[in-house]
Amino acid sequence: MTRLLERLFQSGYRFADSHKVLAPLRTALQALDAFFLRKPELPAVAPHVRDPLDLKRFMIMVVIALMPAALGSVYFFGWRSVAVIAVSYVFGVGTEWFFAHARKEEIHEGAFVTCLIFPLILPPTVPLWMVAVGIVFATVFAKEAFGGTGRNIFNVAMIGRLFLAVAFPATMTTRWQEPFTTGLGGFARWSADAVTGASPLISFKANQSLASLKALFLGTVAGSLGETSALLILLGGLFLMLTRVANWRLPLGYLAAIAAFSAVGSTFWPHKFAPPLFQLFAGGAMFGAMFMLTDPVTCCFTKAGKWVYAIGAGVITVLIRALSGYVEGVMFAVILMNTFAPLIDHLVLTAKYREATAR
């Protein structure tokens, strides 16, 4: 993907240089080039720069990858989705600014990613004041309490979601909005009028009814703002993997574990375990695979550790959905595996060093 962008920019430069009238186009291309592909400053001697992707561009790529899901939230649930996102940014970045000012540091770009992910995993009917409380709690207790960006143990957005689910369970689990599915959809409305008490996972838990896979894939079902459309989430996730911002082992291992484990479960206990494709497309499984498990700060950093981490999260997700009182297991699975990530990496490295020493 990076090489493709480089070739496109080089072609654009040659076109812009072909005539004086097109000179302003070169300036615009340079701005886009700097935005997407920073030109590494190579030193005369080793070590040379190997990867031009720094933290700023890393976070920008994630924000770009989230755009399909964010636009989808507006189409399915109206412009109120933008208000939810705006409140998250105002209070989340405001909290970041407070701590950065107190520590005499700059605000890290990670805040802009967290403040976009957090509202996308909330119900469309969530009160705006609750969004503010959730993002402030998450920023203070899941990030700043550990020292800020890069030092947090748990996924920040997931901690905010967990806090709201525990503090306000009725709002977070029982009031879901029917999405717009025709014409301009939510682009012509502030919010939907119809409210339902059942998401696809709740319906399966209550009476084993299954939403159609087409509806789950396209997003025409009740659910959280950015989690309903597997198609839009996949577009963002593939972008992250092609640009190497996200490691492909994490979503692949997670989704494969969900599919395999739910296939076994649904064969022997079909009233408890939903079928594999339903498990993959319903709820937050796809969003968690692409944007939660791939958080580079809270996941494992070894290759073998990533597989263990992802498969463990997949198994826990299915178990919680099937055997607990909760209908959604992604949130708990991600946070539980965040806890074990350092231990998994430690065991992997210990095994490798022991093997190398034995040689």
Side-chain angles (χ1 to χ4, degrees):
M1 186 67 178
T2 302
R3 292 178 180 175
L4 175 62
L5 287 174
E6 286 178 345
R7 285 197 289 269
L8 287 174
F9 280 121
Q10 290 303 321
S11 299
Y13 286 139
R14 286 194 292 272
F15 178 70
D17 294 338
S18 63
H19 200 284
K20 290 183 179 179
V21 179
L22 300 175
L25 179 61
R26 184 178 183 83
T27 304
L29 285 171
Q30 287 174 331
L32 290 172
D33 194 358
F35 184 84
F36 288 104
L37 303 169
R38 181 179 64 136
K39 298 299 184 186
E41 297 176 359
L42 294 175
V45 295
H48 298 289
V49 175
R50 294 182 58 196
D51 193 341
L53 190 63
D54 61 3
L55 179 63
K56 177 182 177 181
R57 255 150 290 273
F58 187 97
M59 296 302 175
I60 288 173
M61 292 293 187
V62 180
V63 171
I64 292 172
L66 286 165
M67 282 300 108
L71 290 173
S73 72
V74 179
Y75 177 79
F76 292 124
F77 302 110
W79 287 102
R80 188 177 184 277
S81 304
V82 177
V84 174
I85 294 171
V87 169
S88 176
Y89 268 103
V90 169
F91 285 88
V93 175
T95 307
E96 285 267 353
W97 173 85
F98 176 81
F99 281 93
H101 181 71
R103 291 172 175 156
K104 302 186 185 305
E105 298 174 348
E106 295 181 355
I107 296 178
H108 292 284
E109 291 82 2
F112 296 97
V113 173
T114 301
C115 292
L116 183 54
I117 288 179
F118 177 66
L120 294 180
I121 58 176
L122 298 179
T125 58
V126 63
L128 296 181
W129 66 266
M130 207 177 286
V131 179
V133 171
I135 191 66
V136 170
F137 181 91
T139 304
V140 173
F141 290 97
K143 182 188 286 185
E144 300 303 337
F146 292 94
T149 298
R151 299 184 179 90
N152 51 296
I153 299 173
F154 303 104
N155 184 284
V156 179
M158 275 300 187
I159 290 295
R161 177 70 169 78
L162 177 61
F163 169 72
L164 293 182
V166 173
F168 313 101
T171 302
M172 298 297 291
T173 58
T174 61
R175 288 178 58 80
W176 301 98
Q177 209 169 41
E178 290 288 356
F180 297 107
T181 57
T182 57
L184 292 176
F187 288 112
R189 299 287 295 275
W190 170 250
S191 65
D193 298 326
V195 175
T196 176
S199 65
L201 289 175
I202 292 175
S203 296
F204 178 80
K205 178 77 86 176
N207 50 32
Q208 289 77 55
S209 67
L210 296 171
S212 76
L213 293 178
K214 179 181 178 182
L216 291 171
F217 185 70
L218 296 178
T220 57
V221 293
S224 297
L225 284 172
E227 292 182 345
T228 57
S229 174
L231 172 62
L232 298 178
I233 296 168
L234 276 171
L235 288 176
L238 289 173
F239 173 77
L240 289 182
M241 286 184 275
L242 289 172
T243 53
R244 298 185 179 180
V245 170
N247 190 294
W248 58 271
R249 295 173 182 82
L250 294 164
L252 179 62
Y254 180 66
L255 297 176
I258 289 179
F261 201 60
S262 60
V264 174
S266 61
T267 301
F268 295 99
W269 302 280
H271 60 290
K272 289 283 187 182
F273 292 82
L277 288 178
F278 178 86
Q279 295 263 15
L280 293 176
F281 293 159
M286 197 62 70
F287 194 90
M290 300 300 168
F291 297 107
M292 295 299 185
L293 287 176
T294 53
D295 178 0
V297 177
T298 57
C299 73
C300 292
F301 62 84
T302 59
K303 290 181 180 178
K306 290 182 191 299
W307 285 113
V308 175
Y309 177 86
I311 293 171
V315 171
I316 293 172
T317 297
V318 176
L319 283 177
I320 291 177
R321 284 180 170 182
L323 304 179
S324 77
Y326 292 93
V327 297
E328 180 56 278
V330 178
M331 174 176 59
F332 296 104
V334 171
I335 293 173
L336 281 172
M337 293 312 296
N338 286 166
T339 307
F340 287 102
L343 176 61
I344 295 170
D345 278 332
H346 172 75
L347 294 175
V348 170
L349 291 176
T350 300
K352 285 190 174 181
Y353 282 124
R354 187 179 300 161
E355 182 181 343
T357 305
R359 293 174 186 170

